[in-house]
Amino acid sequence: MRYKAKVDWWIGASILCGLVVPSVIAVAESLPWMSAVSVGAALLVFGCCYPQWYETTAEALVIRAGLTTRRIPYPTITAVRPSSDSRSALALSLDRVEIESGSGKLLIAPVNQEAFFADVAARAPQLARQGQDLVVPFASLA
């Protein structure tokens, strides 16, 4: 199943203002170098962030963010938990989900977190519910 990425309005507005204001100034002041920098910044932002979605396939969780696609096989996932961690991430919302796997931690922001958690729980049998979290039970770690 494919899940849309959540974008907080204020994060989206901040990014948009950060791209539009310099462009308007560059055009108004006839600064071609500033126009080129504005276009470069827009390409960088959209290349890293758009489109953004998360998909649960039969074998892995697929995370698409801009030009990159990451595949996290379900057996490598050790935890899935809600997070409001404010550190830098491709997730454009503070209503995030932390995915912990053998390759590290990753923050994502699916719009429908309940359905996302249920879907991952059904596909990753090594994970068990612990409150809102999905984690590998301690008995399985030994």
Side-chain angles (χ1 to χ4, degrees):
M1 182 170 192
R2 186 172 285 191
Y3 299 89
K4 287 183 173 184
K6 183 176 182 180
V7 178
D8 288 345
W9 72 268
W10 61 273
I11 293 176
S14 298
I15 291 171
L16 194 59
C17 284
L19 295 174
V20 170
V21 170
S23 299
V24 170
I25 292 171
V27 170
E29 299 292 326
S30 298
L31 300 170
W33 65 270
M34 193 171 178
S35 296
V37 170
S38 296
V39 168
L43 290 173
L44 182 65
V45 167
F46 287 106
C48 290
C49 296
Y50 187 80
Q52 196 170 123
W53 47 260
Y54 320 109
E55 186 173 10
T56 51
T57 66
E59 304 83 31
L61 172 61
V62 178
I63 299 169
R64 172 74 189 266
L67 300 173
T68 63
T69 302
R70 295 181 184 146
R71 296 179 61 78
I72 304 173
Y74 296 116
T76 67
I77 298 175
T78 56
V80 179
R81 59 179 60 95
S83 175
S84 58
D85 191 338
S86 61
R87 65 188 151 136
S88 180
L90 294 176
L92 301 177
S93 171
L94 291 182
D95 187 18
R96 299 172 171 181
V97 172
E98 181 181 78
I99 308 291
E100 193 174 319
S101 68
S103 59
K105 294 180 181 180
L106 185 66
L107 292 170
I108 63 172
V111 171
N112 189 344
Q113 285 189 13
E114 286 181 26
F116 178 79
F117 273 78
D119 202 1
V120 171
R123 296 171 187 273
Q126 78 277 15
L127 301 176
R129 283 256 181 212
Q130 208 172 57
Q132 288 184 327
D133 303 353
L134 292 173
V135 296
V136 175
F138 289 114
S140 298
L141 297 175

